[in-house]
Each structure stands twice: as C-alpha cells, then as structure tokens.
Amino acid sequence: MRSVHTFFFIFATVLQGVVGGTAGCGKTAPASGTKSIGSRQYILQVPANYDPNREYKLIFGFHPLGGSMNQIHPNYYGIRALANETAIFISPNGIDAGWANTNNRDVDFVDQILTEVQNSLCVDEKQIFSTGFSYGGAMSYALACARANVFRAVSVLAGASISGCVDGETKIAYLGIHGVQDQALSVSMGRSLRDRYLRVNGCQPEEASEPPRGSDTNYIKTEYSCDPGYPVWWIAHGGDHTWGQNYMASNTWDFWTRAIYEGVSNPPTTTSTPTLPPTSSPPRSHHQPSHQRKLLC
C-alpha cells in the first residue's frame, strides 16, 4: 500500500510539473515596480487581480535610443490596454540608453529577467512576446534570432539589424512595421529583417505593395502565406521614423492572439476583448486618424 501511495505522489508531482506552468505558479506575486538584477533594472507590471493559478502572457517592450524603461511603461506601445490585464509586462532599461547588445549582454539580461519572472509569476511559456521601436525594434529582432525557442512572436517597429542576429535560422512569427520615408533607419533595413523570416518561415513569394510618401496614417498590410504557426506580416506606412498610431498596436495584438494560431491545432484562448480591425477579409490599405504621433531616434 505504501508503494502505491508513493507512486501516486510521484505521479502527481510529475503531472504538476507538466501542466502547472512555470515555477512561479501558485506563489504570491511580487509587487509591480522597478526591479534590479545586478546593476541593471527593469519595470515589472503584474496584471490587476492577478491569479497565481492561471498562466499569463509575458510581453517585453524595449525603448528606442535615448529612451528608458519609464518611456515604455505603463502603456507599452498601446498594447497594455488591448491586453485588458491578461498579460505580464516587462520594460527593461538599456545600457547607455540603447541596445548595442555587445557580447550578447542584452540577450543575457533578458534571459536573467525571464528566469526571475518565471520563478515568481505564472507564465504561459508558449505566449512570450517582444516589441520595440527603433533600437527597441532591433533588440526584438535580436531576440527573434537568438531566442526563437523562447519567444513565440515579435513585432518590430522601424527596426534594423543593429543589435545583432545570432542564429536567425529558427522559425518565429514575425511582424514588421516601417515607414517608407524613414530617415533614421531606412525602409530597406526593415525589409531585410522581414525577408529573413520570409525565407526561414517557408513563406510563399508575394509582392508587398507600399504606400507613397506622405502620412503615417496611410498604410498597407501584406499577410504572407507561410508555414502554419509562423506567419509573417509586413505593414508599410507613408511616414517617417515614427510610432504611436492605433493600427500599430491593434495589428500587433491581432497578430499575437489570432494570426499565429491560424492552421494550428488547439490554439490557446484569450479572455481579453479589445476592439480590433476586421479579420475575415482584411483590406490591403487602411486609413486611421492620427494618435500619439512620436518621432524618436
């Protein structure tokens, strides 16, 4: 009888490890706020009414050159409002207000944050995402290259390959948003990031139309046909080096919560109910009013 009890105890322990989420599941959550790892800092935003027995999305938001973690918190490029308290958010601080990722130091910092957060909070390891603008977009691209086995998808806003790309041959869902008259990081730089994942994700060739130079409210979205679970979207707008339009956040959220699961068996469900663009027959060109227009380096 004792051996039977021992067997069930071991079985239950193993099962809990399989279905119980990260090590932080079941624990009292740490308070939101600034956290330190050695000499570096990040802001942790825990959802309101956090349930330690429920797995949450984990979203990283990286600031542009000259910015800081406080610039991204608490709005996280407009995504936090759409998440409707269904995600844990992280805003790290770059060294020298940037993401040079010298000797992989910034990817290592993200690894440390992931370990700390997963040990203290209940994270859905299949729903870890990253976004950022400019240098922050470059950092998200670096994570797509180096940590495709950890991050499910990225949204790169006006990024370029300036934080490096280690590996870059593993599939990951990729969304790129870029202005055709970007004078800081040219649109050709953004296209090259996109083209890597068109190749890696087995996407079918398709010409991506782009709007004329003009307003960043005028944009064209191309949704490529790729391997199931690894879509690539490209959104080109008529503006310069900018972020803040509503469609950037709403398309990012739509990409992370719907597009990456098309053709995938048993996709997770989301409890948030944001207002998103129509998904049945998405138009190729969209026009929306200006909102929070920002020009940064």
Side-chain angles (χ1 to χ4, degrees):
M1 182 66 69
R2 188 175 196 177
S3 62
V4 173
H5 288 164
T6 302
F7 168 80
F8 279 109
F9 174 78
I10 294 174
F11 177 78
T13 302
V14 171
L15 184 62
Q16 184 178 11
V18 172
V19 302
T22 57
C25 294
K27 296 181 180 179
T28 300
S32 298
T34 300
K35 312 295 178 182
S36 296
I37 298 178
S39 61
R40 303 197 64 175
Q41 294 182 315
Y42 69 93
I43 296 176
L44 168 68
Q45 182 63 53
V46 180
N49 301 316
Y50 172 79
D51 180 352
N53 297 308
R54 168 191 170 189
E55 295 181 346
Y56 288 81
K57 299 177 186 68
L58 179 59
I59 298 173
F60 282 75
F62 291 91
H63 64 75
L65 178 65
S68 73
M69 60 186 183
N70 296 300
Q71 181 182 20
I72 306 308
H73 175 82
N75 296 319
Y76 296 89
Y77 295 105
I79 297 171
R80 188 179 168 208
L82 297 177
N84 195 23
E85 303 302 326
T86 64
I88 299 162
F89 284 88
I90 300 291
S91 175
N93 239 5
I95 295 176
D96 298 327
W99 302 101
N101 196 30
T102 306
N103 297 322
N104 220 41
R105 66 190 183 191
D106 294 319
V107 171
D108 291 341
F109 181 43
V110 170
D111 288 342
Q112 293 175 316
I113 294 173
L114 282 164
T115 297
E116 189 165 278
V117 171
Q118 290 176 324
N119 282 334
S120 60
L121 291 162
C122 197
V123 175
D124 183 344
E125 294 178 294
K126 295 181 179 180
Q127 296 195 80
I128 301 177
F129 306 100
S130 178
T131 189
F133 169 69
S134 193
Y135 223 153
M139 186 60 203
S140 293
Y141 175 71
L143 290 172
C145 293
R147 294 294 182 267
N149 62 327
V150 175
F151 286 81
R152 181 65 182 84
V154 298
S155 175
V156 175
L157 313 178
S161 185
I162 51 178
S163 298
C165 175
V166 177
D167 183 12
E169 297 300 318
T170 303
K171 295 176 185 178
I172 184 171
Y174 185 88
L175 166 60
I177 302 176
H178 218 109
V180 298
Q181 58 175 327
D182 192 320
Q183 299 182 60
L185 299 174
S186 70
V187 67
S188 63
M189 294 180 177
R191 293 187 195 118
S192 69
L193 309 190
R194 172 204 65 190
D195 290 348
R196 169 183 289 276
Y197 286 102
L198 289 178
R199 174 180 59 81
V200 172
N201 293 1
C203 304
Q204 296 179 10
E206 180 178 349
E207 183 178 353
S209 298
E210 296 179 351
R213 293 176 171 234
S215 172
D216 60 354
T217 62
N218 181 26
Y219 71 99
I220 298 176
K221 176 171 68 172
T222 302
E223 301 179 8
Y224 293 88
S225 178
C226 308
D227 292 344
Y230 299 98
V232 173
W233 285 7
W234 172 249
I235 298 177
H237 63 77
D240 198 347
H241 195 61
T242 183
W243 67 273
Q245 293 290 353
N246 285 328
Y247 68 80
M248 297 181 184
S250 62
N251 275 284
T252 294
W253 187 249
D254 189 29
F255 187 72
W256 289 351
T257 59
R258 180 191 60 82
I260 62 175
Y261 302 116
E262 289 189 342
V264 177
S265 300
N266 301 318
T269 58
T270 178
T271 57
S272 60
T273 54
T275 300
L276 297 172
T279 59
S280 56
S281 300
R284 304 299 274 181
S285 181
H286 311 249
H287 302 265
Q288 294 191 5
S290 179
H291 172 68
Q292 273 191 333
R293 178 179 174 85
K294 300 189 179 185
L295 294 172
L296 300 170
C297 298

